[in-house]
């Protein structure tokens, strides 16, 4: 469902999915605690609002804790409604799955390991750019890896795309999250993995990002509409494409330093002019036009051991490197070269 | 599912939806009778191949007959797999619904009248452009009207988009069906009903049509890929948009003369330079470049009564006229003016 004000239909949307005695759980980004949006939630009967702490990106331990609390309190629930940015989307998808699958979410980090469908789940993004509202993964940091629960059971049953919900997003945050979409498009469209499905969605998402961040003079309602569609199209394009160097390198940053995904991608992409020349020129133009400051020197003073940790995590993202540089990527991106890149950040 | 050769995964796709003792029904466009494609169908146990007569566009009586035959023979079925052009898609969706809903399909022509979900249904298009593979309607000619079964239960549970299946389509048929998508985009993008969801899908579909029919020198595999994505994106864009004058006028032709949808739209659009000037110029260029002949003088010799019938049917399509000409459309398109337009066809 897409439309300005469509959030007001949430009660009607959830109604057919309510099961007797089992509440709906609204898993809401803690950014909205004490905000007006909370009063608009269609809370009925035993329904519960849970504010999700998204200070850090979702961890498997946090997913397990949320799911176990719900099982202890209610036995089962009618559904999980995730409201917020990419972290809230991923948490909602993961908690829904863990309501119906035994063990820890860490057991399901990988591809097609999830055995049972989750409870009903709906996603309502309040930030545009991650594509998490439509993807078949949920990126989690586990005890041994940062990897999603990729499965046919992972996508939401329903998404409600109401651009009005994004209009009060902080400008910096909106930019970083929008750039998650932009960078994804540049990486996938220049990559070696692609088909016409992902190409056409990626091209559209890229064009919408350019419209919003390069061509338009001022931010207006249409900008919110367009960036929400960019995020959706970018998420759809992931189905048959792969990201590239910015993502591979920023995963290392996020693993070691906890750098969040959107800003981490920006910090890395800013230095990738050798790999994505036209994209980086345009990116710098967008940074300037939108008056954003990209953090610099964040790896200054790190030890050799710390650099090695980041390099190991990054080098482990083989499909991303192969997509960007081809089958012989290991000849093109040595550990030394990658160290040099991390030092520039 | 999108991809060249993805049709070969059909057995695997259907497997989880098979119910003990209930066959899968392959409802195949009669164009494929005795063609190689039939031997590639994953027919198991009591599964049955039914060749659908699509000489005429689907009638409610034909839908009812197919559904009743299946109920008589099998009681219930595991699913309906539609394979073919827009008519085969619409038939498969309608027959699936009628397996689980009482009465005649004519009872459900309208909006949200269908009460129960149908049996599992999968759509595999072999012609690109109608968008029927993704739409929430199935256009049927009933005893009193030509109108779809529009409902949340109407869309396919699964679509398999394999561009290889379209590569042997007759050139004229491919053009007319492709133009169904092109004309839809022109009508919806210039219309008064639109939001960013439908706009972004419509723009992408339009661009892909232009790529294939205007810009490319020769037809190649990529053309099949692109036109299949154009059809999909065009179908998605229908969600929040509406068609316009070409559709409103061609419904009259099809009601009176049985003119098929694709070619009917072309016959009408060819004469709409006053309403869609840029689109009609480009359309004529595509007709010439692709060496297509658009039939002329098809309304020559019709009686006043016959013209009146077409005018009545066309004038009944109020949302289409309103989308094209605004709320005061009746002042802009009089019966006399419409008669003049029909006489030009």
């Amino acid at each position: 469902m897409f439309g300005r004000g469509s959030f007001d239909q949430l009660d009607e949307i959830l109604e057919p999915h309510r099961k007797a005695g089992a509440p709906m759980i609204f898993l809401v980004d803690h950014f909205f605690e004490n905000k007006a949006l909370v009063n608009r939630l269609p809370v009925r009967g035993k329904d519960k609002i849970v504010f999700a702490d998204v200070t850090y990106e979702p961890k498997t331990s946090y997913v397990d804790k949320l799911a176990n609390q719900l099982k202890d309190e209610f036995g089962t629930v009618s559904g999980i409604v995730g409201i917020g940015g990419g972290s809230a989307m991923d948490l909602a998808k993961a908690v829904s799955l863990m309501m119906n699958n035994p063990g820890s979410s860490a057991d399901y980090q990988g591809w097609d390991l999830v055995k049972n469908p989750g409870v009903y789940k709906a996603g309502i993004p309040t930030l545009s750019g991650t594509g998490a509202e439509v993807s078949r993964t949920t990126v989690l940091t586990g005890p041994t890896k940062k990897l999603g629960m990729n499965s046919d059971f992972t996508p939401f049953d329903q998404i409600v795309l109401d651009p009005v919900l994004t209009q009060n997003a902080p400008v910096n945050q909106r930019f970083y999250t929008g750039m998650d979409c932009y960078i994804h498009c540049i990486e996938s469209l220049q990559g070696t993995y692609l088909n016409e499905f992902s190409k056409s969605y990626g091209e559209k998402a890229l064009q919408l990002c350019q419209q919003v961040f390069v061509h338009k003079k001022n931010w207006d309602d249409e900008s919110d509409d367009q960036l929400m569609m960019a995020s959706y199209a970018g998420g759809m394009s992931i189905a048959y494409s792969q990201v590239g160097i910015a993502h591979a390198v920023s995963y290392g940053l996020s693993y070691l330093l906890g750098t969040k995904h959107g800003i981490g991608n920006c910090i890395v992409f800013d230095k990738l002019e050798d790999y994505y020349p036209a994209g980086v020129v345009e990116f710098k133009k967008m940074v300037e036009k939108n008056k954003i400051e990209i953090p610099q020197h964040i790896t200054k003073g790190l030890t050799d051991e710390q650099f090695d940790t980041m390099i190991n995590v990054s080098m482990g993202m083989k499909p991303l490197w192969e997509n960007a540089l081809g089958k012989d990527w290991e000849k093109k991106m040595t550990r030394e070269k990658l160290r040099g890149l991390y030092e520039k950040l």
Side-chain angles (χ1 to χ4, degrees), chain A:
Chain A
M1 176 171 291
F2 179 95
R4 301 185 71 79
S6 55
F7 181 79
D8 290 333
Q9 295 177 57
L10 187 56
D11 197 15
E12 192 186 333
I13 291 166
L14 297 179
E15 205 280 323
H17 302 285
R18 291 182 176 280
K19 289 172 187 162
M24 279 289 169
I25 306 302
F26 300 94
L27 193 60
V28 183
D29 191 320
H30 64 172
F31 173 82
F32 291 102
E33 211 163 349
N34 302 318
K35 297 253 164 73
L37 184 69
V38 175
N39 302 322
R40 295 171 60 202
L41 292 173
V43 177
R44 302 189 165 272
K46 293 196 296 174
D47 287 1
K48 185 170 183 174
I49 300 173
V50 177
F51 289 102
D53 184 351
V54 295
T55 312
Y56 303 101
E57 294 189 328
K59 292 188 166 66
T60 52
S61 54
Y62 189 44
V63 169
D64 296 347
K65 187 180 135 199
L66 287 168
N68 288 332
Q69 281 174 347
L70 292 175
K71 286 180 202 169
D72 289 346
E73 188 171 353
F74 301 109
T76 186
V77 302
S78 287
I80 309 280
V81 182
I83 301 174
S87 291
M89 296 295 103
D90 278 348
L91 273 176
K93 291 193 275 187
V95 171
S96 157
L97 292 172
M98 293 315 296
M99 293 304 290
N100 286 346
N101 285 280
S104 162
S105 52
D107 304 336
Y108 304 104
Q109 286 180 283
W111 281 268
D112 302 307
L113 302 173
V114 181
K115 293 286 174 282
N116 306 311
V119 297
Y120 172 82
K121 51 190 176 303
I124 308 180
T126 61
L127 261 178
S128 296
T130 69
E133 64 276 23
V134 286
S135 71
R136 81 186 280 278
T137 190
T138 156
V139 182
L140 301 176
T141 304
T144 60
K145 53 198 167 197
K146 181 178 174 186
L147 186 61
M149 296 165 78
N150 298 266
S151 86
D152 285 345
F153 301 124
T154 306
F156 285 112
D157 298 293
Q158 174 78 50
I159 56 175
V160 179
L161 303 180
D162 182 350
V164 178
L165 301 182
T166 66
Q167 72 188 6
N168 296 320
V171 171
N172 266 15
Q173 184 65 64
R174 183 172 74 193
F175 182 84
Y176 296 139
T177 310
M179 287 300 110
D180 188 10
C181 180
Y182 177 84
I183 293 169
H184 170 88
C185 292
I186 297 291
E187 290 181 317
S188 63
L189 290 171
Q190 285 192 29
T192 57
Y193 300 179
L194 201 63
N195 68 9
E196 190 56 44
F197 181 95
S198 288
K199 183 161 170 271
S200 60
Y201 270 116
E203 286 173 348
K204 190 65 201 177
L206 181 64
Q207 191 203 0
L208 288 165
C209 287
Q210 289 166 333
Q211 184 67 18
V212 163
F213 290 114
V214 182
H215 302 308
K216 289 192 79 152
K217 287 216 170 124
N218 297 302
W219 196 274
D220 58 13
D221 287 352
E222 190 190 48
S223 309
D224 287 320
D225 294 358
Q226 291 180 325
L227 193 57
M228 188 158 260
M229 278 309 296
S231 179
Y232 170 84
M236 291 294 281
S237 86
I238 298 174
Y240 297 105
S241 70
Q242 185 53 277
V243 287
I245 300 178
H247 279 79
V249 176
S250 86
Y251 267 50
L253 288 183
S254 113
Y255 187 87
L256 183 77
L257 305 173
T259 315
K260 284 200 163 191
H261 188 69
I263 194 170
N265 278 345
C266 288
I267 291 168
V268 179
F269 196 69
D270 194 43
K271 310 294 182 203
L272 292 185
E273 59 276 5
D274 291 349
Y275 302 95
Y276 305 109
V280 174
V281 166
E282 189 168 63
F283 171 78
K284 287 179 187 288
K285 199 186 293 175
M286 292 187 286
V287 168
E288 197 189 328
K289 178 170 184 292
N290 293 274
K291 303 186 180 62
I292 306 295
E293 274 192 37
I294 304 297
Q296 305 289 333
H297 312 302
I298 65 160
T299 59
K300 203 177 168 182
L302 294 182
T303 64
D304 285 348
E305 199 185 348
Q306 287 176 309
F307 276 111
D308 277 343
T309 299
M310 292 194 293
I311 292 167
N312 291 341
V313 168
S314 180
M315 285 286 195
M317 313 301 286
K318 291 180 187 174
L320 282 63
W321 289 108
E322 187 177 305
N323 179 49
L325 301 174
K327 291 216 176 285
D328 58 343
W329 66 271
E330 284 168 299
K331 286 183 198 153
K332 296 180 185 159
M333 181 51 73
T334 59
R335 292 183 69 89
E336 293 66 40
K337 212 161 170 181
L338 184 52
R339 165 85 185 236
L341 184 51
Y342 272 118
E343 286 177 353
K344 280 167 78 178
L345 303 180

